[in-house]
DNA sequence: CATGAATGAGCCTTCATTCAT
DNA sequence: AATGAATGAAGGCTCATTCAT
């Protein structure tokens, strides 16, 4: 990557970051391109130098989050832990990350309302890949006798629901730190698959 | 209530029904007043005779769903069942109802993006009342030795998450009926609080 | 047609008229919806109540002109005249009308730059029907020995060119009245096909 | 002219060529500075080193076409031909050239929509000079007994109309070559002034 | 009560133009 | 001489809302 390309990539990243922050506050439809630009001390028009439009900008922010989520899982998978510990760590990381990137996760909720067909295809592809990681862990846990799950996809979706909902009710004003909180939530969540 | 008042109330109800259907399809921002009017074979302007505006209309549809949810719980509470059976029934009903009124439940996800402060206060009040029902059931279950929960609000939120997320992944094309499906999901969900 | 429908039709007509006037002055791209609205003492938004958009509005103005042109020819055809007289009258009418609706005729010049594929198809269909009227007259004139034309479509296009170009150079400040002027131009134009 | 000046002039020329090509395809308003730059494998900004702006660029391309048209006529005038042959040759050349530089000729149609007052003055000046060439030929032809024209400017404009319109209906897919086609059209066009 | 019509504020997007490097 | 980046003005369009009838 040349110097210029790197600079552009960096700028794009900065924009995506700002976008995520503003989107977190106001939601997709409540956020205007001007809002995002203002947050960056830029002008509306400049955004179009880096992204094709609002949809594109938001889509890319979405993709980034999905990729990062995947990385999180992969990182845990390479640690030397029991299956159960692995799943717990994955859940904790997911919750932690979802609270950090609250914005992006909120957009995940109704993508069909926002994105184009092609974009949705890509999003669903990544989601499924992510879900597959959980399925594999659960299946391994069942094999190893740690878990007791007959319908893995159902259980996995219940699991993901319990996790994703956290963005709806976690309040940073609470007594617990984000990580302690995530730990606590995980304890209850893991029960969904436990023997 | 006079005849006229009753007629008006009935009409309001019809409008709310249509609104929920259209909102289910297109989401809050994707739904225009005209969409709702068309679905009722009325004209845009008429809606303003019954509701102050779009926000008001949607808010009231929201309230209705929350009330109905509460009624569902109350009905179960009056049945003669063990605590565990009661909780299971409540969960099943919730899932069933949330799939029926998918629209309303999707709006529940980010109300702050849509409603005014006063409206939000009311919504949160009803939500808390609803949550309290679950807390009571869980507490009773703990007392009775069925459940094992230390942090009831946390467990309850995990529970609600698992339940509410269902609207995100349930597909009516699947092999199971809505009720059978709800039963299956409940089996995994209930584990969150089980001993 | 009900009263209301007639009112709407009338309003549409008024809008088309204003549009043609403004378009005559500023051209398609130079004309904004606001320009047209201002000319009608309306607001931008109102136009969208009657037309789907700018393109639609202009397209319909175009269609109207083509239809009217056709009517003009048909009217002449029903008069009791020799072929040559008929052609002359048709040309005069065309010139007269094109100077009256200068705007619409200017848009005719590069429709592909403006309209959609479907719209172009319709425009070309009407144009061809119009051209066919000329071809028929010319053919009849050749038959009757008045005209001497081997390649009718070529001669017809040369004829139409001579006629259509008039909007480019006629100046109402000149000494001649529009009709006298049209008569004069016709005398030279008709030579294209004369024996 | 210094070397540098010559280089600049050459570059300007290249830009004008590309501009004409792109303009031919997309029209004035449909062509962006970026389109032109892309066609030259340059960047938008560079164009502003050579031209004051879009209008200027297009204006100069226009001027070039008018000059070239004039040159075409002068070349014919120096050939040793009868008046009628000369006029025919001039018409053929005009048609030929107008089909080659379709873009430029389309812009000629509504210059007032595009150019500034000063630019228009210059354009009209050149146009008149060009028209005068035709007038002279026609007058000479009348004198010599070849032509029969009372109102020379009128006939000339009819003539120019017949010629200029060709860009509207000539299709390169036709059976005839451009030159054969021009010859055929000329045969009908010349009749406008013939005795 | 209902409706056709009108409104105006706001948003996304485009693009000619500028400028530091 | 060239370019990447930024800008800002302008335009098309949508839609919640209002109102006379």
């Amino acid at each position: 990557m040349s110097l210029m390309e790197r600079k552009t990539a960096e700028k794009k990243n900065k924009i995506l970051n700002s976008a995520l922050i503003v989107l977190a506050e106001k939601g997709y439809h409540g956020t205007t391109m001007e809002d995002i630009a203002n947050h960056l001390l830029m002008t509306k028009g400049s955004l179009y130098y880096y992204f094709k439009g609002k949809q594109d900008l938001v889509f890319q922010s979405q993709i980034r989050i999905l990729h990062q989520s995947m990385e999180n899982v992969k990182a845990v998978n390479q640690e030397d832990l029991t299956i159960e510990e692995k799943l717990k760590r994955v859940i904790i990381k997911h919750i932690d990350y979802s609270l950090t990137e609250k914005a992006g996760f909120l957009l995940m909720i109704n993508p069909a309302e926002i994105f184009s067909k092609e974009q949705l295809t890509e999003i669903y592809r990544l989601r499924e890949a992510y879900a597959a990681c959980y399925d594999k862990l659960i299946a391994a846990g069942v094999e190893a006798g740690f878990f007791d799950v007959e319908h893995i996809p159902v259980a996995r979706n219940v699991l993901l629901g319990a996790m994703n909902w956290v963005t709806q009710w976690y309040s940073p004003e609470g007594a617990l730190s984000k990580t302690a909180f995530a730990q606590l939530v995980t304890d209850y969540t893991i029960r969904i698959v436990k023997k």
Side-chain angles (χ1 to χ4, degrees), chain A:
Chain A
M1 218 193 294
S2 78
L3 177 65
M4 219 118 65
E5 275 168 337
R6 227 175 323 151
K7 257 192 172 174
T8 297
E10 216 171 286
K11 186 92 191 199
K12 272 192 181 184
N13 242 312
K14 267 187 194 162
I15 294 175
L16 289 177
N17 286 337
S18 281
L20 280 171
I21 292 171
V22 182
L23 286 163
E25 247 182 74
K26 312 193 175 186
Y28 179 77
H29 294 283
T31 301
T32 70
M33 289 300 266
E34 194 141 31
D35 289 335
I36 298 172
N38 285 343
H39 194 268
L40 288 151
L41 304 179
M42 300 171 91
T43 54
K44 249 196 302 195
S46 309
L47 294 179
Y48 289 85
Y49 185 79
Y50 296 96
F51 297 94
K52 259 188 297 207
K54 186 181 181 182
Q55 220 188 38
D56 180 41
L57 203 171
V58 177
F59 173 67
Q60 300 215 22
S61 78
Q62 204 50 213
I63 293 296
R64 227 189 37 172
I65 283 183
L66 285 167
H67 277 150
Q68 184 57 50
S69 293
M70 199 60 135
E71 292 306 315
N72 289 342
V73 173
K74 281 185 182 158
V76 172
N77 262 330
Q78 285 179 352
E79 294 178 33
D80 185 25
L81 299 167
T82 65
I83 296 291
E84 186 177 345
E85 279 305 315
K86 273 189 185 174
L87 184 57
K88 270 193 180 175
R89 293 271 303 142
V90 163
I91 294 171
I92 288 179
K93 275 228 171 162
H94 180 102
I95 291 172
D96 211 34
Y97 187 53
S98 74
L99 294 179
T100 307
E101 293 291 3
K102 200 183 164 192
F105 278 82
L106 285 178
L107 291 179
M108 256 171 61
I109 288 182
N110 231 5
E113 204 184 304
I114 299 176
F115 298 114
S116 76
K117 233 177 186 166
E118 292 77 36
Q119 291 172 330
L120 284 174
T121 308
E122 175 70 359
I123 286 177
Y124 289 142
R125 206 178 56 73
L126 290 173
R127 278 191 185 192
E128 270 158 38
Y130 186 65
C133 295
Y134 285 81
D135 288 355
K136 239 186 269 177
L137 275 176
I138 294 172
V142 170
E143 198 92 352
F146 293 132
F147 301 153
D148 168 29
V149 178
E150 201 174 343
H151 306 84
I152 291 183
V154 173
R156 172 250 296 164
N157 278 322
V158 172
L159 201 73
L160 282 171
M163 289 151 64
N164 284 328
W165 199 250
V166 159
T167 53
Q168 300 291 313
W169 56 279
Y170 171 71
S171 149
E173 276 91 34
L176 298 168
S177 74
K178 211 157 61 181
T179 312
F181 171 82
Q183 177 67 55
L184 184 55
V185 171
T186 303
D187 288 343
Y188 289 102
T189 306
I190 198 82
R191 290 185 179 185
I192 293 164
V193 293
K194 276 276 284 272
K195 182 159 259 173

